[in-house]
Amino acid sequence: MNGRAALERFLATDPYDTGCDEAIEILHVYAELVATDPAEAERLHPGVAAHLHACGPCAEDLTGLLAAISESGA
Amino acid sequence: MTDEWVAALRGTAAERAEATARLYDLLLRIARSELHRRSGQHRITGPEQDDLAHQAAGDALLAITAKLDQFRGESRFTTWAFKFVMLEVSTKIGRHFWRTATVRLDAEDWERLPDRLGFDPDQQSEWHDLLAALRKAVDEELTEHQRRLFVAIVLDGTPADAVAAKFTTNRNAIYKALFDARRKIRANLVANGYLDHDTSRRA
């Protein structure tokens, strides 16, 4: 991604973005959906998906949670 | 398995003690794995890293047992429990950042922004005005608080959880402040012809 595209992406805000608190509140539910059907997860929780596209820390928590689900064999 | 965990954690004293110990071991394993997975984001190694894993597992366990009534069975119990580990690991990495940080929160190194955003230094004539306008928008449109957050996170690359620890606030508050800041900056750049109108993402 070049600089201008990166800047435009950074400045683009989604009005449906839930913010961190709401995304974290259901992150466990969202993670299990992503683990089986990522498209369905985004369809059912578009605001959470929008947030995770924009928030690095929350996206990192989701990645970690998915790794933990995989590691535990759940 | 989910029902077994919940039942055991609500059971007799002996059942709770056994389940708590078993859960702690599981949380500790996940915390260790997560700290290892994020090793590129922190400089915590050896015994200090293991100590942090124990702290994260212990604090996660406290949160889980305190909030057990909030578990609604919408996921496996372990997935819900692991979420607390992730949050504790994030918080602890954020706090630890300042033990080894060499950058001040107000370093304000605008010269680094082109590189951080991936602008080609050989094409400076193309992006120089855009970034000058961006800086002007930051100075003119943002509140002092928003400006401090922008400088810390966007300019200086300080992790958001580290900024949250320093300002004694939380990730959500920082995100919302920066969300508003981003909208203001974008509106300014659109109004001044540097960006096209309405390329905001919609869910």
Side-chain angles (χ1 to χ4, degrees), chain B residues 75-170:
Chain B
S75 73
R76 293 180 202 89
F77 175 81
T78 48
T79 304
W80 180 74
F82 294 162
K83 181 177 73 174
F84 290 94
V85 175
M86 299 304 138
L87 299 176
E88 288 298 334
V89 166
S90 291
T91 298
K92 281 149 178 56
I93 290 176
R95 284 196 197 122
H96 191 275
F97 176 86
W98 298 107
R99 295 192 199 173
T100 55
T102 55
V103 64
R104 296 190 343 255
L105 260 182
D106 58 350
E108 199 154 341
D109 192 353
W110 284 92
E111 300 302 315
R112 293 172 57 193
L113 187 60
D115 183 59
R116 285 182 54 75
L117 290 173
F119 283 98
D120 185 346
D122 292 335
Q123 296 176 358
Q124 188 176 5
S125 60
E126 293 184 14
W127 50 256
H128 180 270
D129 287 352
L130 171 60
L131 293 190
L134 170 65
R135 182 170 184 174
K136 193 164 183 283
V138 168
D139 288 341
E140 293 179 355
E141 300 289 348
L142 305 190
T143 64
E144 185 54 38
H145 177 62
Q146 288 170 336
R147 194 179 184 287
R148 272 199 307 166
L149 292 179
F150 181 93
V151 168
I153 295 170
V154 182
L155 280 194
D156 299 337
T158 306
D161 285 331
V163 173
K166 193 74 167 181
F167 288 176
T168 321
T169 181
N170 60 64

Side-chain angles (χ1 to χ4, degrees), chain A residues 19-40:
Chain A
C20 303
D21 281 354
E22 286 189 39
I24 289 170
E25 178 70 23
I26 68 158
L27 200 66
H28 54 295
V29 176
Y30 190 82
E32 286 194 351
L33 281 170
V34 169
T36 55
D37 190 342
E40 184 70 355

